[in-house]
Amino acid sequence: MYSIGIDIGATNTDLGLVRNDGTVIDRERLSTQQYDKAENYIADITSAIQQLLTRHDVTALDGIGIGAPNGNHLTGCIEANTANLRIKEQIPLGRALEEAFGTRVRLDNDANAAALGEMVYGGAKGMRNFIMLTLGTGVGSGIVIDGKLLHGTHGAAGELGHAIVSPNGRACSCGRKGCIEMYASARGICQNYIEALEASGRNTTEEEREAVTCQFVGESANAGDPVARKAYDTTAYWLSIALANAAAFSEPEAIFLMGGPTRAGEALLSPLQKYFEENLLFLYKGKIKLQFSTLTGNDTAILGAAALSAEL
């Protein structure tokens, strides 16, 4: 049997046809940023799913799981005014796909889906308390406590990306200032790099600043560039504060990180482990593992989303 896993990011929407043994056998991708109307977005997702089913002669699905920013598992909708999405109206994606394919659909926060994927298929297998942090256009988190995803009263728990680490710091798209998302997301890392570059005495033009990408900063850090290394050191410092605070309320066995910025490898992980231990409450020192997701590429999010459908 097969299920569909959908990972909705601010930049791209990835869809996977998943066999029940956890193999992603085919994919489709849409550019999330091209859409500003929910109706058009839903129509193209529906079409992409149908293409996957047609290519593999699949006539029945076990279910569809969707991981989405600001996805509410209680309503099956992506809530209105979601940061980092151009579509500002509520997106009733769960109900629309149920009607289109006649199968069960579960929609949840994208980081919750990633956490479930790690728990079912990856390094968190057997763990009852852990945090999954997703680093990308923004910063998301899925929190598992006593073997269950934390959803909160209205289904919106787990927004560690909007924990304030620097009061009156950088302006965030959520409307507040100093959120960790502005220091540890891909765009935050680019800003860290630009500030480190200017602190080194280099004047930059607007064109040069706009050309900086997270991939470039990561590759430069791995090549030993001191400015890029400084940028990742700054990222690690701010991120460690948010994670130490998260550990104080949840005492996880491990914290997993996934997403584009983790491709920098030890340039991120080494200083993060150092600062994390320094900022941890003494009760937890040496007891919480920090590691990258053990699932490759985008499989964590797609498999997690697919696994959501089995949680109904």
Side-chain angles (χ1 to χ4, degrees), residues 13-272:
T13 296
D14 290 298
L15 304 91
L17 179 63
V18 181
R19 204 165 53 206
N20 59 6
D21 64 357
T23 301
V24 181
I25 64 172
D26 200 0
R27 299 171 184 263
E28 285 285 332
R29 169 172 281 190
L30 304 173
S31 172
T32 312
Q33 283 297 309
Q34 71 178 305
Y35 299 97
D36 57 13
K37 297 293 183 182
E39 181 181 2
N40 297 337
Y41 185 50
I42 291 172
D44 283 359
I45 288 177
T46 302
S47 176
I49 292 173
Q50 189 57 60
Q51 289 177 46
L52 288 171
L53 300 182
T54 300
R55 280 205 297 267
H56 297 274
D57 296 321
V58 175
T59 57
L61 287 169
D62 279 345
I64 298 172
I66 308 161
N70 211 12
N72 192 317
H73 84 292
L74 297 175
T75 66
C77 297
I78 301 171
E79 300 297 358
N81 298 311
T82 293
N84 302 323
L85 292 187
R86 289 184 63 209
I87 301 172
K88 294 306 178 184
E89 60 190 305
Q90 187 184 68
I91 307 174
L93 186 57
R95 182 174 66 252
L97 295 184
E98 282 183 352
E99 293 174 354
F101 295 99
T103 190
R104 56 187 181 181
V105 177
R106 179 172 173 180
L107 181 146
D108 208 334
N109 179 279
D110 51 344
N112 283 348
L116 186 58
E118 197 71 42
M119 183 165 62
V120 174
Y121 302 107
K125 190 177 295 185
M127 291 185 185
R128 294 184 56 77
N129 299 278
F130 70 95
I131 295 172
M132 167 62 79
L133 203 72
T134 58
L135 307 178
T137 305
V139 174
S141 60
I143 303 169
V144 174
I145 296 177
D146 293 334
K148 297 180 179 179
L149 284 168
L150 180 67
H151 285 109
T153 304
H154 299 104
E159 290 291 347
L160 289 183
H162 294 289
I164 294 174
V165 294
S166 179
N168 298 315
R170 297 174 186 169
C172 182
S173 57
C174 75
R176 303 185 303 164
K177 293 182 178 180
C179 295
I180 186 57
E181 181 166 297
M182 300 313 299
Y183 298 87
S185 64
R187 56 185 166 163
I189 292 169
C190 291
Q191 184 63 34
N192 295 342
Y193 176 79
I194 292 167
E195 291 181 0
L197 195 63
E198 294 179 341
S200 73
R202 165 83 178 275
N203 292 322
T204 60
T205 65
E206 182 176 351
E207 185 178 3
E208 288 174 324
R209 292 192 292 271
E210 290 180 352
V212 174
T213 65
C214 184
Q215 180 178 347
F216 166 78
V217 179
E219 291 174 351
S220 298
N222 284 325
D225 176 69
V227 175
R229 285 275 180 178
K230 176 59 178 175
Y232 266 97
D233 188 80
T234 299
T235 301
Y237 170 76
W238 290 115
L239 186 55
S240 74
I241 294 174
L243 295 184
N245 287 338
F249 75 76
S250 63
E251 193 191 357
E253 180 178 341
I255 298 175
F256 295 87
L257 296 94
M258 65 168 288
T262 65
R263 297 190 189 111
E266 288 302 311
L268 172 62
L269 191 59
S270 182
L272 180 59

